[in-house]
């Protein structure tokens, strides 16, 4: 309904501007001021003041006078307040919103027919997932969910770096050192057991004598060369390490949850010949130069050349990633990649090179994110001194459990929830707090994760929104126990108060929020919406009794609560946050 209403407003404003001989390139449509009971407004009068030689309020009045609400669907009235033209919805708008939001799939948009591959996380399989990189799987998974809600056919891919030097070092170390020479693993999980070899290997390379280090480097180089030449035995040796570590990492990612449809290995594009094919075509480009014993691309918009083939004939990560992206273009309509800000130069060079190779790079969209830090400061994986994501999630669950138990004790509700309920809620709230706090910020802004904010039931956090969902479920369950079911059909005319209408207006916005988040690749837009929706519900809850209401008001308010429950649940689902039925 909101999208249809917006289309009507666009048509009405366009017609009014044309009738007054004003330009129609910018309609100035936006959300109205908070104290205006409209759905949309136009501030275009500001822009037209100089053109028309009249004050904005006068222009707004002239535009409103040109609009006949009866001509446009869902439009009841057009009013002005100062420079704003405000568009008020009809009763039909509220009726259809209330009905639509009863459906479990409310907020999903029609199929676009477009296939989208979302590549995210893609952390090197060298050890446990680190907190600093946790933003990638959280933002990436939320982006995939947003794009699915927006009607796209989405696949989630993890690009596995199994051909770089780090993996060669890891494989050599795993085959070289005895487990008895290693410290105890920090957790009983494959990646924690395996990372000990990786750290041992790096320490050895830094501390060994020159001759020992040269021998190690020769073994490491042999692994890299074997991969480049497609040697099956070398591939199997590397795969044993990579697959073991990756399996453990996926266990951690599954806790978020962040799951994948396919793990695409870098060596795939070496073994099938596509990397060699890319190299041959790159050499034929006018931008190709052979300098410093390596093939490079002299890209005009970059200070640094892109090396794509070393002097020993081995390819580089970006070379193989070019073949990877050509494969994406062959199999998907659009490719979205989530990357850390430290990969921006590499990503920009890759895009420029794909353009030189004749690809439509508008099909490639890249979302960059900044790091997640804890108040204690920065974190590092190489030294083994950082904070692992598992540690953060464990702490989140523990803190959430304490908060839930304290609230039960304060409210003397210990009989309402058993230990299994408390544990379920602790996981839903704890994990939800981490995801929500990360995804609610613009990806390019750094985050310092703070427990007090993330787990604050009263502030704009995941628990705050989750509690509203639980409250909706409680009202509906209480009504059901008293024989008051949510009606199959209801007339929104019974919802007349400002709080009821404001809540309905927020519910109606949800499909448009999905559309905006998908178009702009900004899932934090949905997080902002969940807070607006939760606030609107809490105002309604304070001002409008539901089960004690009279006559037709009671079933209408029950239907409104059910609509709010569905909308909150789905908006949290977009973010990958659980919607508890009790808290």
């Amino acid at each position: 309904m909101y999208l249809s209403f917006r289309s009507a407003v666009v048509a009405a404003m366009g017609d009014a501007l044309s009738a007054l001989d004003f330009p129609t390139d910018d309609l100035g449509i936006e959300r109205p001021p908070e104290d205006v009971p409209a759905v949309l407004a136009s501030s275009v009068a500001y822009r037209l003041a100089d053109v028309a030689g009249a004050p904005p309020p006068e222009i707004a009045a002239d535009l409103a006078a040109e609009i006949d609400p009866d001509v446009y669907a869902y439009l009841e009235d057009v009013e002005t307040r100062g420079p704003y033209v405000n568009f008020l919805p009809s009763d039909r708008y509220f009726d259809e919103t209330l009905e639509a939001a009863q459906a479990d799939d409310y907020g999903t948009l029609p199929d676009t027919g477009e296939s989208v591959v979302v590549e995210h996380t893609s952390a090197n399989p060298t050890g446990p997932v680190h907190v600093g990189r946790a933003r990638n799987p959280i933002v990436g998974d939320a982006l995939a969910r947003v794009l699915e809600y927006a009607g796209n056919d989405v696949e989630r891919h993890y690009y596995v770096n199994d051909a770089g030097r780090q993996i060669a070092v890891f494989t050599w170390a795993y085959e070289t050192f005895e487990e008895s020479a290693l410290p105890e693993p920090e957790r009983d999980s494959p990646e924690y057991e395996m990372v000990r070899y990786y750290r041992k290997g790096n320490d050895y390379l830094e501390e060994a004598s020159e001759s020992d280090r040269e021998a190690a480097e020769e073994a490491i180089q042999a692994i890299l060369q074997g991969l480049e030449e497609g040697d099956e035995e070398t591939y199997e040796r590397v795969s044993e390490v990579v697959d073991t570590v990756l399996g453990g990492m996926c266990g951690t990612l599954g806790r978020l949850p962040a799951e994948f449809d396919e793990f695409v290995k870098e060596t795939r594009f070496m073994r099938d010949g596509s990397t060699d094919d890319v190299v041959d075509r790159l050499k034929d480009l006018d931008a190709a130069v052979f300098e410093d014993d390596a093939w490079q691309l002299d890209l005009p918009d970059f200070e640094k050349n892109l090396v794509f083939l070393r002097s020993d004939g081995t390819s580089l990560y970006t070379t193989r990633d070019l073949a990877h992206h050509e494969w994406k273009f062959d199999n998907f309509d659009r490719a979205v990649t989530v990357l850390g800000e430290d990969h921006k130069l590499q990503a920009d060079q890759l895009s420029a090179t794909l353009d030189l190779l004749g690809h439509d790079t508008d099909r490639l969209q890249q979302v960059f994110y900044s790091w997640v830090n804890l108040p204690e400061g920065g974190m590092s994986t190489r030294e083994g001194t950082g904070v692992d994501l598992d540690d953060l999630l464990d702490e989140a669950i523990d803190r959430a459990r304490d908060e839930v138990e304290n609230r039960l004790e304060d409210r003397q509700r210990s009989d309402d929830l058993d230990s299994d309920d408390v544990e379920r809620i602790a996981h839903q709230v704890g994990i939800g707090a981490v995801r929500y706090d990360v995804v609610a910020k613009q990806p390019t802004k750094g985050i310092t994760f703070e427990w007090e904010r993330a787990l604050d039931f009263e502030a704009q956090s995941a628990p705050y929104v989750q509690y509203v969902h639980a409250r909706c479920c409680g009202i509906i369950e209480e009504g059901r126990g008293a024989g008051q079911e949510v009606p199959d059909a209801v007339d929104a005319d019974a919802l007349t108060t400002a709080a009821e209408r404001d809540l309905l207006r927020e519910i109606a916005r949800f499909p448009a929020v999905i559309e905006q988040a998908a178009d702009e690749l900004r899932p934090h837009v949905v997080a902002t919406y969940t807070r607006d929706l939760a606030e609107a519900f809490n105002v309604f809850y304070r001002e409008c009794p539901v089960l004690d209401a009279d006559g037709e008001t009671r079933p209408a308010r029950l239907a409104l609560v059910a609509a709010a429950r569905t909308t909150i649940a789905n908006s949290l689902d977009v973010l990958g946050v659980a919607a508890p039925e009790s808290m």
Side-chain angles (χ1 to χ4, degrees):
M1 265 46 68
Y2 183 95
L3 296 175
S4 298
F5 183 82
R6 187 181 64 190
S7 296
V9 170
V10 167
M13 278 302 303
D15 293 344
L17 289 167
S18 295
L20 296 175
D21 293 325
F22 288 134
T24 59
D25 55 316
D26 181 6
L27 304 181
I29 294 173
E30 59 189 57
R31 293 184 68 185
E34 289 187 6
D35 59 341
V36 175
V39 170
L40 289 170
S42 172
S43 60
V44 72
Y46 279 119
R47 179 176 61 82
L48 298 175
D50 291 340
V51 176
E58 181 179 325
I59 299 171
D62 290 341
L63 287 168
E66 288 292 332
I67 298 173
D68 179 2
D70 294 337
V71 175
Y72 305 97
Y74 300 109
L75 190 57
E76 177 70 22
D77 200 4
V78 182
E79 298 178 349
T80 62
R81 181 177 296 189
Y84 287 95
V85 181
N86 301 310
F87 296 88
L88 282 68
S90 64
D91 289 339
R92 177 188 167 200
Y93 175 83
F94 290 111
D95 285 339
E96 294 189 12
T97 293
L98 190 59
E99 180 181 356
Q102 306 297 320
D104 291 340
D105 63 350
Y106 179 62
T108 57
L109 305 184
D111 289 346
T112 64
E114 187 172 55
S115 62
V116 184
V117 56
V118 177
E119 178 200 332
H120 69 82
T121 307
S122 301
N124 290 342
T126 54
V129 183
H130 187 252
V131 167
R133 297 282 183 178
R135 203 167 189 177
N136 199 316
I138 292 173
V139 171
D141 184 69
L143 267 175
R145 290 166 180 266
V146 163
L147 289 165
E148 278 186 332
Y149 264 78
N152 300 288
D153 181 12
V154 177
E155 282 197 20
R156 299 156 173 83
H157 285 191
Y158 189 124
Y159 186 48
V160 183
N161 179 352
D162 64 336
R165 174 179 165 80
Q166 287 180 308
I167 298 302
V169 169
F170 204 156
T171 303
W172 161 78
Y174 178 65
E175 295 173 345
T176 299
F177 300 105
E178 296 292 336
E179 184 175 9
S180 59
L182 305 175
E184 287 296 311
E186 297 170 6
R187 284 176 183 261
D188 183 17
S189 187
E191 77 276 33
Y192 288 88
E193 295 173 4
M194 293 292 288
V195 75
R196 298 175 298 161
Y197 294 96
Y198 180 64
R199 291 171 180 165
K200 178 72 173 179
N202 279 298
D203 290 342
Y204 180 89
L205 292 173
E206 291 179 0
E207 300 168 359
S209 66
E210 183 176 351
S211 60
D212 287 344
R213 186 164 56 251
E214 286 178 355
E217 289 292 352
E218 184 177 341
I220 292 165
Q221 184 61 32
I223 294 172
L224 289 170
Q225 198 68 46
L227 290 174
E228 197 75 34
E229 295 170 357
D231 179 68
E232 189 66 28
E233 181 184 354
T234 304
Y235 174 74
E236 289 177 359
R237 290 163 58 197
V238 169
S239 293
E240 181 181 356
V241 172
V242 169
D243 293 347
T244 301
V245 176
L246 192 61
M249 294 171 69
C250 287
T252 299
L253 294 169
R255 299 178 67 188
L256 285 172
E259 298 176 344
F260 300 89
D261 297 300
E262 187 170 353
F263 293 87
V264 182
K265 288 188 174 181
E266 190 179 1
T267 50
R268 169 179 184 165
F269 305 103
M270 302 165 70
R271 292 156 62 84
D272 68 4
S274 55
T275 298
D276 291 337
D277 179 62
V278 166
V279 167
D280 290 341
R281 284 182 285 126
L282 291 176
K283 287 180 178 179
D284 289 337
L285 295 175
D286 292 339
V289 295
F290 188 77
E291 294 180 355
D292 301 324
D293 292 327
W295 279 98
Q296 308 177 28
L297 286 184
D298 183 5
L299 301 173
D301 295 331
F302 300 89
E303 294 182 8
K304 186 177 180 180
N305 284 2
L306 174 66
V307 178
F308 64 87
L309 193 67
R310 298 186 185 92
S311 57
D312 61 5
T314 55
S315 59
L316 287 87
Y317 176 88
T318 303
T319 323
R320 301 184 286 269
D321 204 19
L322 286 165
H324 173 213
H325 276 77
E326 289 191 326
W327 172 79
K328 288 182 183 180
F329 289 157
D330 286 342
N331 290 278
F332 300 92
D333 297 317
R334 192 152 52 105
V336 177
T337 311
V338 182
L339 297 163
E341 59 187 4
D342 56 331
H343 290 281
K344 192 171 191 316
L345 173 61
Q346 176 185 312
D348 289 345
Q349 287 183 321
L350 180 137
S351 184
T353 305
L354 286 169
D355 186 60
L356 288 177
L357 290 171
H359 295 286
D360 177 10
T361 51
D362 287 342
R363 296 168 60 194
L364 174 61
Q365 297 170 286
Q366 295 156 336
V367 176
F368 296 97
Y369 66 91
S370 187
W371 314 124
V372 176
N373 292 302
L374 298 180
E376 293 80 8
M379 296 165 283
S380 165
T381 49
R382 173 70 181 271
E383 304 299 330
T385 58
V387 178
D388 296 324
L389 180 57
D390 279 314
D391 296 330
L392 182 71
L393 297 181
D394 286 349
E395 181 76 6
I397 293 167
D398 289 344
R399 287 176 179 256
R401 185 187 300 110
D402 290 343
E403 181 67 25
V404 171
E405 289 174 344
N406 289 338
R407 283 174 166 263
L408 289 174
E409 185 176 334
D410 291 344
R411 299 180 185 185
Q412 297 182 337
R413 287 186 53 200
S414 58
D415 293 337
D416 293 355
L417 301 173
D418 60 25
S419 59
D420 289 341
D421 291 326
V422 171
E423 199 61 29
R424 169 184 55 80
I425 295 168
H427 277 75
Q428 290 176 323
V429 172
I431 303 294
V434 172
R435 278 196 69 126
Y436 190 94
D437 200 62
V438 170
V439 80
K441 310 294 191 305
Q442 293 187 37
T444 53
K445 293 185 177 180
I447 293 177
T448 298
F449 186 86
E450 297 175 354
W451 292 111
E452 290 73 16
R453 180 191 66 232
L455 287 167
D456 190 341
F457 279 63
E458 309 301 330
Q460 293 186 332
S461 60
Y464 174 75
V465 180
Q466 289 174 311
Y467 197 80
V468 169
H469 180 266
R471 177 166 278 165
C472 290
C473 293
I475 292 171
I476 292 169
E477 187 62 30
E478 185 180 350
R480 185 174 293 120
Q484 301 174 20
E485 296 283 349
V486 176
D488 293 331
V490 67
D491 190 342
D493 287 347
L495 304 172
T496 59
T497 68
E500 292 165 325
R501 291 291 163 129
D502 286 345
L503 178 54
L504 261 178
R505 275 189 283 269
E506 283 300 323
I507 290 170
R509 279 204 307 124
F510 182 41
V513 171
I514 294 295
E515 180 187 67
Q516 179 189 355
D519 288 347
E520 299 175 1
L521 299 180
R522 299 197 304 163
H524 70 272
V525 169
V526 181
T528 301
Y529 169 75
T530 63
R531 296 194 291 264
D532 293 341
L533 179 59
E535 289 173 3
F537 181 86
N538 283 334
V539 172
F540 160 78
Y541 180 77
R542 289 194 300 267
E543 298 183 4
C544 304
V546 178
L547 302 180
D548 293 335
D550 297 326
E552 291 301 315
T553 303
R554 182 173 61 242
R557 286 180 177 172
L558 258 177
L560 181 56
V561 171
R565 177 189 62 178
T566 299
T567 309
I568 293 169
N570 289 353
S571 59
L572 286 174
D573 182 59
V574 172
L575 302 175
V577 175
E581 295 185 4
S582 59
M583 284 178 69

